[in-house]
Amino acid sequence: MPYSEVDLRGAASAGVISATDLARLLAFLSSEAPSSGAPATPAGDTVPAAKFDAAHLLWYAGALIVMGAMGIFSTVAFSQIGGRALVACAIVYAIVFTLAGHHLWYRRNLRVPAGLLIAVAVSMAPLAVYGLQAELGWWGKFGKPGTVHDFYIWIKGSWIFMEIAAVTAGVVALRFFRFPFIVSIIAVALWFMSMDLTPWIFDVAHFDFEMRRRVSVWFGLAVIALAWIVDYRSRSGDFAFWLHLFGLMAFWGGITASESATELGRAVYCLFNVGLLLLAVFLMRRAYAVFGTFGISLYLGNLAHVVFKDSLLFPFALSMIGIAVVAAGLLYHRSSRAIAAWLSANLPQAVLRLRPDGRV
């Protein structure tokens, strides 16, 4: 059973081990673990450590530029070169970037640039499907949705096939290259799918805001459940981060967009966001705290607007809310280890087993 530094510090805070033992144990693990004789992790399963330096910045920037050039910033002329040309372009890009990524991953042991190249190859899947649909006219009952560029702007039922292709390509890539950033493409495709599924679920070409909101809530909840499963099953690397993030965007966004005409309904919304803060502590996921804080701030801002309407005190009331949020963050930062130790000591084992292994 793996344990993280957070678990060890929580044990020290609970008095299970002394501070001296904790320091000696952490020093031993950091210096001796690589040569302890434990079985080595297979090369294909090694997850690169997250860093932020000039090399990593250039690698990520280059990959995002290529993805954007072939998708977000593609012009109408790019879409008019024909379906066959689009499919050929996407396939050539995918093959070239896959071969380059495979070489860097297995031959050079450069996992970060290799994983980013594989992510670029995965992002070609929607483009290839668009070209195939354009060539054969397979747009489904909702018709041609527009250009490649429109995929990132408009909600259309016909985009669903491109999103399925992106998710499938991402899952296949993760089978051979365990690089967490690939999950970001899957998560974005799932987020888009949460909106483009609305015409299919309600079987209408024209849909209203309430339809989109309801689909967003339930689909986002399903993605969050998937993220929990990935968290529970993953033993190395943070593969669930993007799923948590985009699942929350769909779920929290749908909840926040619901209209509540009563103060009771708004208070329930505030309690919902307080629950997200508690989940952030339990799951050790900051994304839940961010969305929960935004929700509570929205509620308090609305409350301040009602109480201090047309008053000079309104901006000062908002300022106090902001200061209170910052103070709450500082308090949690100072007490996070004690909170983690208390949870470890008091929660049932069946519940504790649902927590990820020390991820933040």
Side-chain angles (χ1 to χ4, degrees):
M1 181 181 298
Y3 296 96
S4 68
E5 181 179 343
V6 174
D7 296 320
L8 296 177
R9 293 189 181 279
S13 300
V16 178
I17 60 176
S18 66
T20 303
D21 291 336
L22 172 65
R24 292 172 58 191
L25 183 58
L26 292 177
F28 171 77
L29 292 176
S30 62
S31 61
E32 299 294 336
S35 59
S36 61
T41 303
D45 293 335
T46 303
V47 180
K51 295 181 180 179
F52 186 79
D53 53 25
H56 284 69
L57 181 61
L58 292 174
W59 289 337
Y60 277 90
L64 292 175
I65 288 172
V66 175
M67 293 180 189
M70 301 300 290
I72 300 175
F73 300 109
S74 62
T75 62
V76 175
F78 183 68
S79 301
Q80 292 177 345
I81 64 176
R84 293 184 182 181
L86 284 176
V87 173
C89 181
I91 291 176
V92 169
Y93 261 68
I95 292 176
V96 170
F97 282 106
T98 299
L99 292 176
H102 183 276
H103 176 75
L104 293 178
W105 186 279
Y106 289 102
R107 299 293 180 86
R108 299 293 184 180
N109 200 32
L110 295 171
R111 299 299 167 81
V112 173
L116 290 171
L117 293 179
I118 298 299
V120 172
V122 170
S123 69
M124 295 299 108
L127 180 63
V129 170
Y130 180 90
L132 184 64
Q133 289 181 279
E135 180 66 22
L136 302 177
W138 291 350
W139 295 110
K141 59 182 178 181
F142 297 111
K144 185 176 180 179
T147 66
V148 178
H149 175 73
D150 295 332
F151 173 63
Y152 301 90
I153 301 176
W154 301 110
I155 299 174
K156 302 284 185 178
S158 301
W159 299 128
I160 194 71
F161 306 104
M162 298 170 64
E163 291 149 1
I164 292 174
V167 173
T168 303
V171 171
V172 172
L174 284 173
R175 173 65 179 82
F176 300 97
F177 304 93
R178 302 280 293 172
F179 190 66
F181 186 73
I182 297 174
V183 183
S184 68
I185 299 176
I186 300 175
V188 171
L190 289 173
W191 181 42
F192 284 5
M193 190 182 296
S194 70
M195 296 176 279
D196 294 328
L197 273 176
T198 304
W200 292 90
I201 293 176
F202 292 95
D203 196 25
V204 291
H206 302 284
F207 45 89
D208 57 27
F209 180 79
E210 179 60 21
M211 292 179 180
R212 289 171 50 192
R213 189 194 69 80
R214 288 162 58 186
V215 173
S216 179
V217 168
W218 289 107
F219 196 90
L221 192 60
V223 174
I224 291 174
L226 175 62
W228 283 19
I229 294 173
V230 173
D231 249 342
Y232 185 73
R233 295 173 61 91
S234 297
R235 297 183 178 180
S236 61
D238 193 357
F239 290 92
F241 168 76
W242 297 102
L243 295 175
H244 281 291
L245 178 62
F246 285 97
L248 278 169
M249 288 175 65
F251 177 63
W252 181 89
I255 295 294
T256 302
S258 62
E259 294 185 4
S260 179
T262 64
E263 286 301 325
L264 178 60
R266 297 188 182 99
V268 171
Y269 172 75
C270 181
L271 290 177
F272 160 74
N273 286 279
V274 171
L276 290 183
L277 294 180
L278 297 177
L279 272 178
V281 176
F282 174 72
L283 295 174
M284 292 175 283
R285 284 285 179 187
R286 295 192 182 105
Y288 289 83
V290 171
F291 283 94
T293 301
F294 281 158
I296 294 173
S297 298
L298 287 175
Y299 170 75
L300 294 178
N302 177 76
L303 192 63
H305 175 69
V306 173
V307 175
F308 297 98
K309 185 177 181 180
D310 299 327
S311 171
L312 290 175
L313 296 178
F314 180 62
F316 297 101
L318 287 182
S319 299
M320 293 304 297
I321 290 173
I323 294 173
V325 170
V326 173
L330 292 173
L331 179 62
Y332 172 73
H333 178 72
R334 294 179 57 184
S335 307
S336 58
R337 294 176 183 173
I339 294 174
W342 185 90
L343 290 175
S344 299
N346 292 276
L347 289 178
Q349 287 298 319
V351 177
L352 286 174
R353 279 195 289 269
L354 298 177
R355 299 178 72 189
D357 298 328
R359 300 184 191 91
V360 293

